[in-house]
Amino acid sequence: MSSEKGKWSSGFGFIMASAGSAIGLGNIWKFPYMTARNGGGMFLLFYIIFALGIGVPVLLAELAVGRYAQKNAVDSCREINPKWGFAGYFGVICSVLVLSFYSVVGGWVIKYLSVSAFSGIPSPLFFGEYSVKAYEPILFQALFILICALIVIKGVSGGIEKCSEIMLPLLIVFLIGIMFFVFGEENAAEGIKYFLLPRVSEEMPLSEIILAAMGQMFFSLSLGMGTLITYGSYLSKENDLIKSTFTIVILDTVIALIAGLVIIPSAYAFGGEISAGAGMIFETLPAVFAKIRGGRIIMTVMFLLILLAAVTSAISLLEVFSSFLADRVHLKRKPAVLLSAGLCLAVGIAASLSFGVLSDVKIFNMSIFDFVIYLADNVIMPVGAVSICILAGRKWGKENLKREISLGRKKPLRSGNLIHFILNYASPAIIITAAVINF
Ligand code: PHE
């Protein structure tokens, strides 16, 4: 395999795959608890401003760089500027790191799916007992990575695109269905208010909310990690990049909002605790479902959806490293994917064990798992995004950037100067300021 040979078979397939990469555990597992923890509507407001103001131009730049070069993340960056391969390396290495903790949660989701399907709704205490175990979580984590590897092995259009085309529409339809179900419950309005109304308190200063919203936006849109450079490299010149970018950002944001509107109000409606943490969907939701008639079926469907969302994101992470290995080490697709998957599992085992055996190991006062998430949201992705801004805005040159974005558009490009300005000045300035204020 060479990543150059892969191609999306349709524009729709590409959108489903890219939106599938964006829509994942970040939307369903992380977004609700991050919003609850960081001031509700205040967080939402900044999230949306960042998604439109920074997310759109950075995503567009990644797609443009990938489509222009038609190569893996490292070689695409080098094609723009030979000295900038490091921006791609950064993404490639970090994709392994992100998949390492992502697969831990993916493994929990499979466990919860199988327990609710075959034995019954687990008690809220189950999560605490299960996540500290040494072997079983690693086994499910490995199963999660294996499922992703089997899809990626099938190739760009035959594996990633086909599976996203089925999984993403399913996820959207079911999630909307569950949202209406939750809205019908008695106390749901209180939960909706808790989710949407802005709150600022002394424990949660605005500067922290802003940084959290920005980190979440990067994570949710899969930015700064070479994912969209890689996916862009399989695109044809006929694709309208601006239209695609907006579609991906809007889909991702709407799904995050719907997930928040499902999870927070359901916790409220059924008296579950808004535990506001990583365990939220694993501790609060089962308590909620246990109280509803038919709750076990809904819980099974819900965890199946979460699994679908997680898989379509994890395959994009796996593709970044695999396409790099295939091109650079001249491996065929299958060994490249298996090698990448093995590496992710090896790193991921430490993240899994940090709940039990390695719980005493602290890095900057955080467990290995929390540290990797913190690193991804607040360091890796912002640094990756600033690198892409500088690469596409400054090193590539305004005219080259505009030319690539214009290809495939029916109407002439009118926002080229604005896009260039945001990439070149505004985005890096805002990202760096937000990071420095919180330092
Ligand atoms: N965007 C994905 C999510 O929301 C996570 C992800 C991050 C995927 C970076 C690829 C690259 O779950």
Side-chain angles (χ1 to χ4, degrees):
M1 162 236 190
S2 152
S3 59
E4 290 164 59
K5 284 187 209 144
K7 275 269 167 273
W8 305 114
S9 63
S10 71
F12 175 75
F14 157 68
I15 294 285
M16 289 298 107
S18 307
S21 163
I23 298 166
L25 293 172
N27 303 57
I28 302 177
W29 162 68
K30 200 154 163 268
F31 183 81
Y33 82 73
M34 287 294 281
T35 311
R37 190 191 265 179
N38 288 291
M42 211 56 178
F43 178 88
L44 290 182
L45 180 72
F46 282 103
Y47 182 88
I48 292 171
I49 294 174
F50 286 139
L52 294 175
I54 300 180
V56 166
V58 175
L59 205 156
L60 180 64
E62 286 205 25
L63 290 180
V65 166
R67 185 175 71 174
Y68 169 77
Q70 308 265 305
K71 295 189 171 126
N72 64 72
V74 173
D75 291 321
S76 288
C77 292
R78 293 181 82 193
E79 183 96 11
I80 303 285
N81 185 308
K83 290 198 188 121
W84 275 66
F86 71 87
Y89 273 114
F90 192 73
V92 165
I93 294 166
C94 294
S95 64
V96 175
L97 217 58
V98 171
L99 191 52
S100 72
F101 80 77
Y102 212 81
S103 55
V104 174
V105 187
W108 294 341
V109 174
I110 300 184
K111 174 71 185 176
Y112 267 67
L113 174 61
S114 64
V115 172
S116 58
F118 301 115
S119 346
I121 297 178
S123 89
L125 299 178
F126 181 84
F127 181 72
E129 288 158 12
Y130 177 74
S131 56
V132 297
K133 285 190 183 164
Y135 301 110
E136 206 187 327
I138 293 174
L139 223 67
F140 279 102
Q141 179 183 17
L143 179 62
F144 177 80
I145 295 183
L146 184 69
I147 295 172
C148 298
L150 291 177
I151 295 170
V152 177
I153 283 173
K154 291 250 177 239
V156 175
S157 60
I160 299 174
E161 183 177 347
K162 250 201 196 121
C163 113
S164 308
E165 271 178 351
I166 301 169
M167 290 184 180
L168 196 66
L170 255 181
L171 171 76
I172 295 174
V173 171
F174 274 111
L175 209 56
I176 293 177
I178 295 190
M179 180 180 77
F180 282 115
F181 172 82
V182 171
F183 280 5
E185 296 305 317
E186 226 173 84
N187 297 327
E190 283 305 303
I192 297 174
K193 267 198 220 147
Y194 185 81
F195 178 63
L196 295 179
L197 291 184
R199 279 174 275 123
V200 195
S201 65
E202 264 173 29
E203 309 96 71
M204 195 40 80
L206 192 61
S207 64
E208 267 180 45
I209 296 181
I210 292 177
L211 189 68
M214 197 166 76
Q216 172 64 21
M217 180 277 294
F218 284 127
F219 184 77
S220 193
L221 288 174
S222 309
L223 297 178
M225 307 253 321
T227 318
L228 292 146
I229 298 182
T230 309
Y231 275 18
S233 73
Y234 307 137
L235 260 181
S236 78
K237 300 283 182 195
E238 276 95 62
N239 193 281
D240 182 340
L241 294 184
I242 294 192
K243 222 164 137 190
S244 299
T245 299
F246 272 104
T247 314
I248 297 164
V249 173
I250 290 170
L251 272 176
D252 184 68
T253 308
V254 169
I255 293 297
L257 289 173
I258 296 179
L261 286 171
V262 166
I263 288 167
I264 308 254
S266 49
Y268 249 93
F270 301 100
E273 202 191 321
I274 312 272
S275 59
M280 180 125 163
I281 60 167
F282 300 101
E283 289 165 335
T284 310
L285 278 191
V288 166
F289 290 128
K291 294 190 183 147
I292 320 176
R293 217 165 2 106
R296 188 168 151 201
I297 297 175
I298 303 176
M299 170 147 169
T300 309
V301 173
M302 185 76 197
F303 276 89
L304 183 65
L305 295 183
I306 301 174
L307 180 63
L308 298 186
V311 166
T312 51
S313 296
I315 54 180
S316 71
L317 287 163
L318 201 54
E319 178 67 16
V320 173
F321 199 75
S322 307
S323 64
F324 164 76
L325 271 189
D327 288 352
R328 278 308 178 94
V329 191
H330 304 294
L331 288 178
K332 289 212 161 41
R333 179 170 272 274
K334 197 168 169 182
V337 175
L338 291 177
L339 205 64
S340 314
L343 187 67
C344 290
L345 180 63
V347 182
I349 287 176
S352 177
L353 291 179
S354 73
F355 285 86
V357 187
L358 298 181
S359 62
D360 288 340
V361 181
K362 296 274 183 239
I363 312 172
F364 295 115
N365 242 336
M366 288 177 257
S367 69
I368 301 175
F369 181 88
D370 286 339
F371 176 71
V372 179
I373 295 188
Y374 183 85
L375 204 65
D377 275 13
N378 300 318
V379 182
I380 294 172
M381 296 194 169
V383 172
V386 170
S387 313
I388 291 298
C389 288
I390 298 173
L391 181 67
R394 203 164 293 239
K395 302 286 164 190
W396 202 4
K398 194 180 346 199
E399 290 317 311
N400 290 331
L401 174 73
K402 277 164 65 175
R403 191 174 315 120
E404 186 61 40
I405 295 175
S406 301
L407 294 175
R409 276 183 68 76
K410 297 207 176 68
K411 292 188 209 140
L413 179 72
R414 272 182 298 155
S415 47
N417 290 341
L418 176 67
I419 295 167
H420 180 258
F421 173 79
I422 298 178
L423 285 175
N424 215 358
Y425 302 104
S427 291
I430 296 169
I431 299 169
I432 292 168
T433 311
V436 169
I437 289 175
N438 278 281
F439 201 62

